[in-house]
């Protein structure tokens, strides 16, 4: 009679303490999940600037939160890059259309205007719009990994690119020098030819000095393979470039610190396409200033025996 009531009271107290303690402990343990869930909801709503920044010990929750923060950072940077690209592409595509419209309006107001001159200008503007559209298509394809992989010799790719661009180099007074050795890799032959062509073309058209003094204007194309992989290197003379400027050259529609606006220097997607093709082949693109001026572009791809 004495034990039973006391035992019941103790059991009730223990039950209450256990429930409260369990509720507090569960709340503390599940709090990180609540923060991660809230961050996911904000992400779904379109907010990518939010970060969890979970503090505390390095456990599974902390690893999950850090991985989620890293994913949000990548998504935010990728979305911002796509928005800049869309804005720049729209601007570049609008320019030739606006010029075409202006030429046609002037021709409509002046029927006696020289039609041959009008047609010639329209052809140049239309050609630039076509070049830009084709470059955008190449960039879109380059962003996808090659479906088929075939053996490719980078030395033959480099020779094909230099032979195709030799008339352009001669017209601009640039000495195009090639020193290639058999360099085997694997990937899409067409995309790698596009990569080499863009690198050599970029080295030729941006091989300029700010003054009119006679200077050496050269482009060097070399290939080789070592323990790091298959290497394609294109270097050119020119003005000294600051590292912070070179860091922006792979962004679409960039040349130095300015947007591309001229008709004779491409559409501003050359190095952006090179970077995408390199990434699609599992390689790395490195741009570095030369001590004597100009730039060196190095593409490092997995050697054939590494694949």
């Amino acid at each position: 009679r004495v034990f039973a009531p006391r035992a019941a009271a103790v059991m009730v107290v223990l039950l209450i303490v256990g429930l409260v303690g369990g509720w507090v402990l569960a709340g503390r343990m599940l709090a990180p999940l609540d923060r991660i869930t809230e961050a996911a909801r904000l992400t779904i709503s379109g907010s990518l600037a939010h970060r969890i920044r979970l503090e505390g010990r390095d456990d599974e929750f902390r690893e999950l939160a850090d991985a989620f923060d890293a994913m949000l950072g990548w998504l935010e940077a990728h979305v911002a890059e796509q928005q800049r690209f869309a804005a720049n592409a729209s601007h570049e595509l609008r320019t030739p259309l606006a010029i075409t419209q202006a030429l046609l309006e002037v021709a409509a107001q002046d029927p006696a205007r020289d039609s041959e001159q009008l047609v010639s200008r329209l052809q140049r503007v239309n050609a630039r719009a076509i070049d830009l559209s084709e470059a955008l298509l190449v960039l879109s394809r380059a962003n996808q990994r090659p479906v088929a992989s075939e053996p490719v010799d980078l030395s033959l790719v480099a020779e094909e690119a230099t032979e195709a661009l030799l008339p352009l180099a001669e017209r601009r007074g640039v000495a195009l020098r090639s020193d290639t050795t058999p360099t085997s890799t694997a990937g899409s032959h067409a995309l790698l030819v596009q990569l080499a062509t863009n690198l050599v073309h970029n080295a030729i058209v941006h091989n300029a000095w700010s003054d009119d003094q006679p200077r050496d204007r050269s482009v060097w194309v070399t290939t080789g393979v070592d323990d790091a992989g298959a290497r394609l290197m294109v270097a050119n003379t020119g003005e000294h470039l600051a590292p912070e400027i070179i860091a922006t050259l792979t962004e679409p529609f960039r040349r130095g610190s300015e947007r591309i606006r001229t008709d004779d220097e491409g559409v501003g997607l050359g190095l952006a396409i090179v970077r995408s093709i390199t990434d699609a082949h599992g390689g790395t693109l490195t741009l570095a200033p030369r001590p004597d001026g100009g730039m060196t572009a190095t593409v490092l791809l997995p050697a054939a025996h590494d694949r």
Side-chain angles (χ1 to χ4, degrees):
R1 289 194 299 268
V2 175
F3 174 76
R6 294 179 177 177
V10 171
M11 292 296 294
V12 171
V13 172
L14 290 177
L15 179 61
I16 294 173
V17 172
L19 291 175
V20 173
W23 180 77
V24 173
L25 182 60
R28 293 189 59 183
M29 292 186 62
L30 296 179
L33 285 181
D34 291 337
R35 294 179 60 179
I36 295 173
T37 303
E38 181 62 22
R41 291 196 183 100
L42 291 173
T43 302
I44 294 174
S45 66
S47 174
L48 299 177
H50 179 74
R51 298 293 184 272
I52 301 173
R53 296 187 178 91
L54 187 64
E55 299 177 353
R57 60 183 181 179
D58 292 332
D59 53 10
E60 289 79 3
F61 290 125
R62 175 72 177 275
E63 293 179 359
L64 177 61
D66 291 344
F68 197 88
D69 285 345
M71 180 189 68
L72 287 177
W74 181 86
L75 283 174
E76 186 178 19
H78 184 69
V79 169
E81 180 180 358
Q82 291 299 316
Q83 290 174 343
R84 290 195 304 270
F85 176 80
N88 291 335
S90 299
H91 177 85
E92 295 293 333
L93 286 170
R94 184 179 61 183
T95 299
L97 295 176
I99 295 175
T100 300
Q101 182 179 1
L103 291 174
L104 293 175
E105 289 177 352
V106 171
Q109 296 174 2
D110 184 10
R113 187 181 180 86
D114 186 2
S115 59
E116 293 184 0
Q117 182 182 7
L118 174 64
V119 170
S120 177
R121 295 188 63 182
L122 286 175
Q123 286 178 338
R124 290 198 300 269
V125 174
N126 188 62
R128 175 173 175 79
I130 292 174
D131 291 342
L132 178 57
S133 300
E134 290 179 348
L136 289 171
L137 290 175
V138 171
L139 182 59
S140 175
R141 290 194 298 266
N143 284 327
Q144 303 175 1
R145 287 187 174 274
V147 177
S149 182
E150 57 183 335
V152 178
D153 188 345
L154 286 183
S155 64
L156 299 180
V157 168
E159 291 177 4
E160 185 174 346
T162 54
E163 289 179 3
L165 293 172
L166 184 58
L168 175 63
E170 293 176 346
R171 189 164 63 249
R172 287 176 169 264
V174 176
L176 189 55
R177 299 180 173 90
S178 177
D179 182 14
T180 60
T181 58
T183 306
S184 297
T185 185
S188 169
H189 180 269
L191 286 179
L192 290 176
V193 169
Q194 183 73 53
L195 177 148
T197 301
N198 284 10
L199 284 178
V200 177
H201 182 271
N202 183 79
I204 294 173
V205 299
H206 297 305
N207 197 322
W209 302 89
S210 59
D211 54 43
D212 297 330
Q213 298 297 325
R215 295 176 183 264
D216 175 41
R217 303 181 63 189
S218 302
V219 172
W220 300 273
V221 181
T222 59
T223 62
V225 61
D226 52 31
D227 294 338
R231 194 182 309 273
L232 169 64
M233 184 179 301
V234 179
N236 64 275
T237 54
E239 294 289 341
H240 287 85
L241 298 174
E244 57 270 18
I245 292 179
I246 288 184
T248 67
L249 295 182
T250 56
E251 296 180 11
F253 309 108
R254 300 286 293 190
R255 181 179 66 84
S257 59
E258 302 292 338
R259 287 170 52 86
I260 285 189
R261 296 183 183 275
T262 58
D263 293 332
D264 59 341
E265 294 181 348
V267 296
L269 292 173
L271 290 180
I273 292 174
V274 170
R275 183 183 65 177
S276 296
I277 295 176
T278 303
D279 293 342
H281 286 77
T284 57
L285 170 65
T286 304
L287 305 179
R290 296 181 64 249
D292 297 331
M295 184 183 71
T296 299
T298 304
V299 174
L300 184 63
L301 301 174
H305 57 77
D306 293 335
R307 287 180 174 256

